Amino acid sequence: MTQFETIGERICFGCGRLSHDDTLCQDCQRWQSNGKQLLEHRALYRYNATMKDYMQRYKFSGDYALREVFRSVLLQHLKNYSDYIKVPIPISDQTWLTRGFNQVTGLLEGCQYQELLSVRAHQKAHQSQLNRQKRMTRKQPFELIDGTINLQGKSILLIDDIYTTGNTMYYAADLLYSVGAQAVRSVSLAR
């Protein structure tokens, strides 16, 4: 039986993918060649069959109690980012109406965070319904929430449940850099 697998120390320092050497993976090299600042992403677990089943039950079947499974581990890891403003990746209004909760903020109960981003109203498809090519070519899905704090010179930590292509995190980072953030890093439960 497959179990939850933690991601070790041998990773690409740009995206957190398992690696066998100290070079950037091809995806991160491509992000850099497109002018992106690396996120120095860290994921806690591999997205294997067990994690996929967990996400299916937690996110898509709406078993909100499952947020407790990883919450303490994630909150412990976030202590490494004490100087960062923690920003969860938002869900669309449509997803909120369907699911009734944001799976990321559910994992963050007990941690101080700022909801600075919202999903633009024109977003029709869920990220999970898009293939890699469509994820990579979609338009900026986020906007700043009205009344967002001044981010000039601030360090931001983006938090999501799953890092797939990195596109979601890079869109969020681009927006935050555009309003003056000094550094943007990211963490996810799974990759």
Side-chain angles (χ1 to χ4, degrees):
M1 180 176 151
T2 305
Q3 301 292 322
F4 294 114
E5 295 176 64
T6 58
I7 294 181
E9 298 299 316
R10 301 229 17 149
I11 59 172
C12 169
F13 72 87
C15 68
R17 172 184 288 154
L18 291 174
S19 177
H20 300 292
D21 55 37
D22 293 331
T23 62
L24 282 177
C25 71
Q26 288 183 345
D27 284 349
C28 287
Q29 290 175 34
R30 191 170 27 253
W31 286 120
Q32 273 193 322
S33 70
N34 289 330
K36 305 290 184 189
Q37 295 184 45
L38 291 179
L39 290 168
E40 297 180 27
H41 181 79
R42 295 298 172 264
L44 303 181
Y45 295 90
R46 292 186 67 187
Y47 189 71
N48 62 13
T50 304
M51 183 60 76
K52 184 176 182 178
D53 179 61
Y54 166 82
M55 288 295 175
Q56 176 63 41
R57 291 173 37 216
Y58 175 47
K59 284 172 65 168
F60 302 112
S61 296
D63 190 346
Y64 191 62
L66 287 175
R67 74 192 184 288
E68 296 294 335
V69 172
F70 293 107
R71 192 167 54 93
S72 63
V73 172
L74 180 60
L75 296 182
Q76 185 63 38
H77 181 75
L78 295 178
K79 289 180 181 179
N80 296 322
Y81 300 92
S82 59
D83 295 340
Y84 286 73
I85 297 170
K86 289 148 187 87
V87 177
I89 294 295
I91 60 174
S92 69
D93 290 344
Q94 177 185 354
T95 299
W96 182 263
L97 289 173
T98 303
R99 187 178 302 152
F101 65 94
N102 178 333
Q103 72 279 0
V104 180
T105 58
L107 294 168
L108 294 177
E109 286 179 4
C111 175
Q112 187 174 16
Y113 60 86
Q114 298 276 331
E115 293 189 71
L116 304 178
L117 306 172
S118 65
V119 176
R120 292 179 185 267
H122 72 274
Q123 294 299 308
K124 292 182 176 53
H126 292 274
Q127 175 80 353
S128 61
Q129 295 171 336
L130 301 175
N131 64 27
R132 180 178 179 84
Q133 182 180 1
K134 288 186 179 181
R135 288 178 188 206
M136 300 302 285
T137 58
R138 70 181 178 153
K139 294 181 180 175
Q140 172 62 269
F142 302 118
E143 58 191 3
L144 289 173
I145 292 175
D146 288 340
T148 294
I149 61 173
N150 180 355
L151 299 177
Q152 193 67 40
K154 303 288 186 188
S155 296
I156 310 292
L157 181 69
L158 295 169
I159 305 166
D160 205 356
D161 55 342
I162 304 169
Y163 181 110
T164 307
T165 64
N167 206 34
T168 296
M169 295 291 201
Y170 276 104
Y171 273 127
D174 286 348
L175 182 56
L176 294 167
Y177 278 127
S178 76
V179 295
Q182 174 186 320
V184 180
R185 303 287 175 259
S186 61
V187 167
S188 65
L189 181 60
R191 172 154 191 7

